[in-house]
Amino acid sequence: MDVPEAVDINAMCEEGAGVMGTVDFGDVADITENDILRKVFRSEDDAYEFYKRLGKFYGFGIRRGDMFKDEKGNLVRRRFFCNREGQRDKKHYNRIDRKRPHKPETRTNCEARMCIYLDKDSSLWRVKKIILNHNHNMTHPGMVHLITSFRSLTDAAKAQLDGFQGCGISTAKTMRYMAGVSGGYSLVGFLKKDAYNYVDKRRRAKIVDGDANAAIVYLEGKVDADPTSMARYNVTEDEMLANLLWADGGNRIDYQYFGDVLAFDSTYKKNKYKRPLVIFSGCNNHKQTCIFGFGLVLDESIASYTWLLENFLEVMCSKQPSVVVTDGDDSIREAVRTIFPNATHRLCAWHLEKNVTSNVKDDNLRRLFNRWIYSEMRVDDFEAEWAQAAADYGLQDSLWWNQVYGKKEMWANAFLCEKFCAGYRTTSRCEGINSVCKNFLESKHSMLELVQNLELLVREYRNNELLAQFRSIYSEPVLTTSLESLERHAASVYTRAVFVDAKREIQSVSSVNFVGVRRSLTTKVYTVEEYGHPGRHIIVLCDKNMGKLECGCNFWRIQGFPCKHMFFVMKHEHLLTIPSSLVLKRWTKEAKSLGAYAEKTDDGGDRGFLLRHGALHSASRWLFFLGAQKVGLFGVALEGIRRLCATLESELANGVHPTKSKQGGEIRDPVVVRTKGAPRGHKRKASKRKCVNCNKPGHTKRTCTDGRPCRGKKPRVDTFNSAEDGGQSEEVAELEATGSNDQTIGVEHVIGGGSVRMPQVELINTVPFCRYRGQ
């Protein structure tokens, strides 16, 4: 046999004798046909592995061939071929309906093969015929691992891929890691394409009964691990998923603690259906973003947002927020007005400023708007300045000007300066969440992947909160101000993030000047002023017996901790601690119970398998480190691992638990919707080159058959889509005509919601894992 120079693979081959076992296949180097004809095997698989070893050593792929069974149905003959055996059928070359290009040829009609038969007397498989001559060149040893028959994903590799996928790590990064720990891509055992195929196959298997139904079944399964988690959804009349809302127990508990200020925004391109994803968020006691729940809406209509907010309020135990921060979307504004009538609806200052920039070209008027948005001023002053600006610029009849004025209570700081917004002035925190989502979500993700990956997002935010709480409890800040007792008390009650801001106010006491004080019954009325602003007096009321302080700057009402004027009065009154009436609980270390920070794990199903797999992987690191120190220790560790694997395999062989199949899909997958987001730019199709003689495409004047002389080039006429000129494209018109974005909502469903007592507010009457049907 004409083969390339043999490579040294003696380390991979072990000496064998007589009968070949399942692992001990003998040395295939310099083997002859007579040696192969004398081989016997215990099973057909052993013969296949031997021929596979032979092909890998010499550089040719193999595949199973035809077989023959006796009258009892027992396999008695089998042939193994070179993977280049045979030729492609000629009918594939002459197909007139072919759309894809031909695949490259790999078959050369190679005659190399090995035939085996079953010796019934000894129940052993013997070699009947062997042909070692090939009609093609052998593969180079450095490329043998690329042959299909030598590539396979072991169960261990599949488990590792599943583990990385469950943590939100991409397949490409997983392959780089596995190649690194294996010593190179050639030693991994499979290609990146094989890994992608496996991941895609797993993804398709999970949604075999429908993507929407798989997501609902997954949320139902979450109730077993977390009885307080809930999900609500409704379907259209044709059983298609319309709107979906879900929140786990941790989200619901966080809302009870920090749900006084609620912000939400919709983001796009996070699922393959282009459904807008709504993320409800707020600010915790560490001034970090915390997530209250998620929602997928059918469209961005008032009805969809109203359904979402109504069910969100019920899931959150009917606790009304005091402030709701959103962008300027009309549908969201109307839904908030309906569901949260008593809440202060604040519009995002950044969105409004951007809107002003696009509609106002005068720099002075822009500066006025910035003053109205951010500066502290009285309502009368705002009204006077607005009227003066309208007269100066002639905007009394401007539609945009009057629309902005009609929403002044939602954006002008004169109307919002006394509202506690927990630092929210814009939806930048929502935009920050949307930016972090890019690390977990992609536009090609299914609905099930969306729900699962959002759990990873929540886990990351909760880990940040846990770290901040740990630093606040187990570390003490260095005291640097002269008001040491007040500073120490602030450090003991406030979290580190809030203490930094409170300390800044304590340090600013030096800029406050005493003007006078007078007594009114048990209340002292202090008059102070700030350095650099003489004559601008600030009134501070102090009732030392009742432990109350009030300041005319309204800083405490806005920020939730004392201002420098209050600290000045505390110093003047020789108070050693901050009055309890001024310590807002939501900013303290005890705002949330320590038990609520514990991370819940699910030890059942696929998630439980991944957790156990990860735990064993972490526990074996020390074994790998010790075993790799010396060659002798390496052999001991390897032999011990083999014995342990054999024991575990025998235990699992006694009973294999079949995977529980999902019930038939009850909910149809949604269709791809058209959102209100910024439209994608329509690229103009490149015009085909035309002949200058006949003005027809497909040829030039040199090959033109018309024969007319060239009279110069005609002016090119470009055809534009009507949507580019502000009109409506044909696709949009067809979409609106079919009403795919205006589905009639039919049945509603509820998932989970155990009767567990939540902090501050009791749960509404719900039952564990129930469904109800109704309009």
Side-chain angles (χ1 to χ4, degrees):
M1 179 174 61
D2 185 15
V3 297
E5 183 179 356
V7 296
D8 185 12
I9 57 171
N10 291 331
M12 300 172 57
C13 306
E14 300 176 359
E15 285 293 331
V19 179
M20 309 301 295
T22 58
V23 177
D24 189 8
F25 294 121
D27 190 3
V28 297
D30 300 326
I31 197 169
T32 63
E33 293 185 5
N34 293 330
D35 295 335
I36 297 176
L37 290 173
R38 290 195 295 268
K39 296 286 184 181
V40 291
F41 309 94
R42 287 197 179 99
S43 65
E44 175 215 354
D45 293 334
D46 293 346
Y48 175 77
E49 291 296 332
F50 168 78
Y51 197 55
K52 183 178 179 181
R53 177 70 61 83
L54 185 70
K56 192 171 185 179
F57 179 77
Y58 286 110
F60 65 92
I62 69 169
R63 57 186 176 89
R64 297 178 188 270
D66 51 1
M67 60 181 179
F68 180 78
K69 295 183 179 180
D70 59 10
E71 61 277 1
K72 296 182 180 180
N74 299 321
L75 182 66
V76 295
R77 285 205 301 261
R78 166 72 81 175
R79 292 198 295 179
F80 304 108
F81 296 109
C82 170
N83 66 341
R84 298 198 176 191
E85 183 270 342
Q87 288 183 331
R88 186 178 297 176
D89 196 330
K90 292 185 178 180
K91 68 178 182 180
H92 297 294
Y93 298 100
N94 302 324
R95 291 180 55 181
I96 60 176
D97 58 342
R98 173 176 292 279
K99 296 182 180 180
R100 296 181 180 179
H102 292 279
K103 292 183 179 180
E105 290 280 7
T106 57
R107 300 292 183 92
T108 61
N109 202 19
C110 181
E111 296 292 336
R113 67 191 62 189
M114 185 179 76
C115 305
I116 60 174
Y117 70 96
L118 177 63
D119 186 356
K120 295 185 178 181
D121 295 334
S122 60
S123 298
L124 297 175
W125 289 82
R126 301 182 182 274
V127 180
K128 182 177 182 181
K129 183 178 181 181
I130 182 69
I131 300 178
L132 299 179
N133 295 324
H134 296 258
N135 63 356
H136 55 86
N137 295 328
M138 299 293 103
T139 305
H140 189 274
M143 301 180 182
V144 171
H145 68 281
L146 303 177
I147 300 177
T148 305
S149 55
F150 303 141
R151 297 170 5 218
S152 63
L153 271 78
T154 62
D155 292 337
K158 293 178 181 178
Q160 197 165 16
L161 282 170
D162 293 338
F164 279 96
Q165 288 290 320
C167 295
I169 301 176
S170 64
T171 307
K173 293 180 180 178
T174 303
M175 279 297 301
R176 287 198 293 268
Y177 168 78
M178 299 179 71
V181 298
S182 300
Y185 283 95
S186 61
L187 301 178
V188 175
F190 54 91
L191 304 182
K192 185 186 296 186
K193 181 63 176 177
D194 301 329
Y196 275 106
N197 290 339
Y198 169 74
V199 172
D200 184 69
K201 184 178 179 180
R202 286 274 298 177
R203 181 185 297 114
R204 294 177 182 274
K206 291 179 180 179
I207 59 175
V208 64
D209 293 328
D211 187 11
N213 189 67
I216 297 302
V217 171
Y218 178 79
L219 291 174
E220 290 174 350
K222 293 294 295 181
V223 178
D224 297 335
D226 184 7
T228 59
S229 63
M230 289 192 70
R232 295 194 172 195
Y233 64 94
N234 58 0
V235 297
T236 61
E237 291 183 345
D238 55 353
E239 295 297 325
M240 183 184 298
L241 180 66
N243 302 302
L244 174 64
L245 169 72
W246 72 98
D248 60 20
N251 299 142
R252 301 175 68 194
I253 291 176
D254 286 342
Y255 183 80
Q256 303 304 316
Y257 288 121
F258 313 114
D260 50 349
V261 179
L262 173 65
F264 64 92
D265 189 16
S266 57
T267 180
Y268 313 97
K269 298 182 179 180
K270 298 297 184 288
N271 56 88
K272 65 180 182 180
Y273 306 104
K274 298 182 180 180
R275 287 289 182 91
L277 172 65
V278 180
I279 303 178
F280 298 94
S281 62
C283 180
N284 60 18
N285 54 334
H286 301 280
K287 291 195 171 183
Q288 296 176 333
T289 301
C290 59
I291 297 177
F292 301 143
F294 304 95
L296 277 176
V297 292
L298 175 66
D299 50 26
E300 296 180 287
S301 62
I302 297 177
S304 295
Y305 281 120
T306 301
W307 181 94
L308 187 67
L309 295 183
E310 182 179 6
N311 284 270
F312 176 81
L313 185 62
E314 293 182 7
V315 168
M316 297 304 168
C317 312
S318 300
K319 178 180 178 179
Q320 290 270 355
S322 59
V323 176
V324 179
V325 183
T326 68
D327 58 11
D329 186 83
D330 294 335
S331 301
I332 295 179
R333 189 171 68 252
E334 182 62 25
V336 170
R337 186 188 62 82
T338 304
I339 306 302
F340 303 134
N342 299 323
T344 299
H345 188 186
R346 181 164 193 165
L347 299 181
C348 173
W350 181 85
H351 283 87
L352 181 64
E353 188 175 355
K354 185 178 179 181
N355 189 11
V356 170
T357 303
S358 61
N359 287 276
V360 177
K361 306 305 179 183
D362 188 271
D363 293 336
N364 294 328
L365 186 56
R366 289 182 183 178
R367 283 192 289 269
L368 274 177
F369 262 105
N370 288 338
R371 167 177 164 79
W372 297 333
I373 295 173
Y374 300 109
S375 299
E376 295 182 6
M377 56 192 310
R378 295 184 302 177
V379 176
D380 295 340
D381 296 336
F382 167 78
E383 295 287 357
E385 290 186 9
W386 182 275
Q388 186 63 37
D392 294 342
Y393 295 95
L395 299 173
Q396 295 89 342
D397 298 330
S398 173
L399 177 61
W400 175 84
W401 179 268
N402 293 325
Q403 287 178 345
V404 174
Y405 180 76
K407 298 181 290 187
K408 61 182 182 299
E409 292 86 359
M410 293 185 284
W411 62 266
N413 198 48
F415 298 91
L416 301 171
C417 60
E418 296 185 0
K419 300 294 183 180
F420 175 75
C421 299
Y424 272 91
R425 181 174 285 177
T426 65
T427 57
S428 58
R429 288 180 180 264
C430 301
E431 301 295 338
I433 298 176
N434 297 340
S435 178
V436 177
C437 281
K438 296 179 181 178
N439 300 325
F440 300 92
L441 302 178
E442 297 179 5
S443 58
K444 64 180 180 181
H445 277 168
S446 63
M447 194 168 297
L448 176 62
E449 291 174 315
L450 172 75
V451 174
Q452 292 176 335
N453 289 344
L454 284 176
E455 290 184 7
L456 303 179
L457 174 70
V458 174
R459 188 188 307 169
E460 182 165 317
Y461 276 93
R462 287 176 181 168
N463 183 63
N464 296 335
E465 182 184 9
L466 179 64
L467 292 175
Q469 181 70 10
F470 175 79
R471 296 190 185 102
S472 296
I473 295 177
Y474 292 97
S475 64
E476 294 294 335
V478 179
L479 306 181
T480 59
T481 67
S482 58
L483 302 179
E484 183 177 345
S485 58
L486 291 175
E487 185 182 3
R488 180 180 291 107
H489 183 249
S492 63
V493 296
Y494 292 124
T495 60
R496 289 293 165 265
V498 180
F499 170 73
V500 171
D501 296 334
K503 183 177 181 178
R504 189 180 300 113
E505 296 299 316
I506 296 176
Q507 292 172 338
S508 301
V509 170
S510 58
S511 64
V512 179
N513 297 328
F514 177 79
V515 176
V517 61
R518 59 184 177 88
R519 180 180 293 275
S520 176
L521 298 178
T522 60
T523 302
K524 289 184 178 181
V525 181
Y526 280 86
T527 304
V528 298
E529 64 180 10
E530 296 182 7
Y531 174 77
H533 301 281
R536 188 161 63 180
H537 294 169
I538 299 174
I539 305 300
V540 182
L541 304 180
C542 175
D543 190 338
K544 191 174 181 180
N545 297 329
M546 300 296 294
K548 294 182 179 181
L549 279 173
E550 290 185 11
C551 182
C553 69
N554 291 324
F555 182 89
W556 186 87
R557 296 179 181 177
I558 300 172
Q559 301 296 335
F561 53 89
C563 62
K564 54 188 174 183
H565 314 116
M566 290 182 173
F567 280 116
F568 176 84
V569 174
M570 294 179 201
K571 182 194 74 170
H572 202 272
E573 293 289 332
H574 299 281
L575 297 180
L576 301 179
T577 60
I578 303 173
S580 59
S581 60
L582 300 181
V583 179
L584 192 64
K585 186 178 180 181
R586 77 167 336 272
W587 291 138
T588 63
K589 300 175 184 179
E590 290 77 20
K592 186 176 178 180
S593 62
L594 295 180
Y597 290 96
E599 184 176 5
K600 298 181 180 180
T601 57
D602 182 10
D603 57 355
D606 294 340
R607 178 63 183 166
F609 169 77
L610 295 179
L611 290 175
R612 294 190 295 271
H613 181 271
L616 291 175
H617 190 272
S618 300
S620 59
R621 292 177 182 174
W622 184 242
L623 170 65
F624 299 157
F625 175 78
L626 296 176
Q629 297 296 319
K630 297 181 180 179
V631 178
L633 295 178
F634 171 76
V636 174
L638 189 61
E639 183 62 27
I641 292 174
R642 287 178 175 176
R643 288 198 301 267
L644 180 60
C645 290
T647 303
L648 297 178
E649 288 175 357
S650 62
E651 291 291 336
L652 290 176
N654 296 332
V656 179
H657 302 283
T659 303
K660 183 180 179 181
S661 61
K662 298 182 221 178
Q663 297 179 355
E666 300 176 358
I667 304 173
R668 293 177 54 199
D669 294 341
V671 296
V672 179
V673 299
R674 176 177 178 266
T675 63
K676 290 184 182 177
R680 298 178 60 183
H682 294 274
K683 295 183 179 179
R684 186 178 63 187
K685 296 182 178 179
S687 58
K688 295 183 179 180
R689 186 176 180 181
K690 298 181 180 180
C691 175
V692 297
N693 288 337
C694 61
N695 199 29
K696 295 179 180 179
H699 62 276
T700 62
K701 65 179 182 179
R702 295 184 179 87
T703 58
C704 182
T705 59
D706 197 346
R708 292 183 298 176
C710 178
R711 297 182 179 178
K713 295 184 179 180
K714 294 184 178 181
R716 186 178 66 181
V717 179
D718 294 329
T719 303
F720 294 91
N721 192 309
S722 60
E724 295 179 343
D725 297 331
Q728 189 179 47
S729 64
E730 295 180 359
E731 295 178 356
V732 176
E734 182 180 358
L735 186 64
E736 294 183 352
T738 55
S740 59
N741 281 358
D742 189 19
Q743 300 286 344
T744 303
I745 306 302
V747 183
E748 294 188 0
H749 302 266
V750 176
I751 300 175
S755 56
V756 179
R757 185 176 179 85
M758 305 287 282
Q760 300 184 16
V761 181
E762 291 187 4
L763 277 175
I764 57 176
N765 295 327
T766 55
V767 294
F769 185 70
C770 64
R771 294 182 178 181
Y772 68 85
R773 292 178 174 265
Q775 298 297 329

